[in-house]
Amino acid sequence: MRVHLPEPEATAIVPGSFDPITNGHVDIIERAARLFDRVVVGVLVNIEKSGLFTAEERVGMVQELFAHEPRIEVASFEGLLVDFAHRRGAGVVVRGIRAVSDYEYELQMALMNRRLAPDVETIFLLPKEENSFISSRLAKEVCRFGGDTGGILPPAVAERVKQKFGGRS
Ligand code: PNS
């Protein structure tokens, strides 16, 4: 029997809410860029949930951080992630897993995406240990109450979050 394998994938999507992008996200995007020729960061436009930042603001912050990297593109998307992946010619979705607690949610999403689009593979990457506890939610909370977000948020992002909370630092 001969096994026929598809061509290796050159493009990966790193999807998320990125409200806002954290050092944990940056870590995963950089890791994806080491593995794939082209990385498309997909910023979800969530019509049900309004975040701290608009989709345009979230896209803008990610774009600023990776402006020097032509292999990393940033775009917002609505609707199904797998449709976005198809539109962008990506056969891989990359997600970061921090702790076991992330696994169940990620497993559900990955299997649902596989059911919807068997040609789109999900892979999980681990962040650096020091980024394993970072989440956008906690980063916003730290910022809101004047805590130090060094090592948690890129400085320009921390500045924007502080501005949203009335410039308190
Ligand atoms: O950063 P997040 O909020 O954990 O990212 C979640 C995201 C954007 C990856 C997920 O909500 C998503 O893919 N939404 C698009 C809708 C979709 O495709 N749903 C079906 C598969 S679960």
Side-chain angles (χ1 to χ4, degrees):
M1 185 183 86
R2 270 170 191 267
V3 177
H4 294 283
L5 298 172
E7 287 293 304
E9 285 299 336
T11 303
I13 300 274
V14 182
S17 302
F18 301 104
D19 186 42
I21 184 165
T22 66
N23 284 353
H25 294 126
V26 171
D27 184 344
I28 296 298
I29 295 165
E30 285 174 342
R31 278 169 207 282
R34 273 182 230 131
L35 297 172
F36 296 92
D37 297 327
R38 185 171 150 250
V39 169
V40 180
V41 181
V43 177
L44 178 72
V45 180
N46 196 339
I47 40 175
E48 277 158 23
K49 207 169 75 178
S50 67
L52 182 63
F53 292 96
T54 65
E56 292 74 33
E57 288 170 325
R58 288 179 276 137
V59 166
M61 283 185 279
V62 185
Q63 266 168 345
E64 246 178 72
L65 289 171
F66 295 105
H68 59 288
E69 273 292 355
R71 294 190 301 111
I72 301 178
E73 298 162 29
V74 191
S76 60
F77 74 99
E78 280 178 69
L80 291 178
L81 171 60
V82 290
D83 291 340
F84 178 62
H86 284 154
R87 284 199 299 277
R88 288 288 172 150
V92 172
V93 168
V94 172
R95 292 283 290 171
I97 287 206
R98 292 162 299 186
V100 178
S101 49
D102 282 340
Y103 181 71
E104 204 164 334
Y105 169 60
E106 295 298 334
L107 179 72
Q108 279 179 23
M109 277 203 302
L111 292 181
M112 181 58 76
N113 285 334
R114 179 179 285 171
R115 178 181 289 237
L116 295 168
D119 59 322
V120 176
E121 200 66 62
T122 299
I123 66 168
F124 299 118
L125 298 180
L126 301 179
K128 269 199 284 225
E129 248 172 273
E130 65 246 48
N131 290 335
S132 302
F133 65 96
I134 299 176
S135 70
S136 298
R137 186 178 64 81
L138 289 183
K140 282 183 280 197
E141 209 165 292
V142 171
C143 253
R144 177 177 215 143
F145 298 113
D148 178 12
T149 54
I152 299 174
L153 291 176
V157 174
E159 219 28 69
R160 303 271 171 76
V161 179
K162 281 179 196 156
Q163 281 165 14
K164 282 274 177 191
F165 290 130
R168 184 180 167 163
S169 60

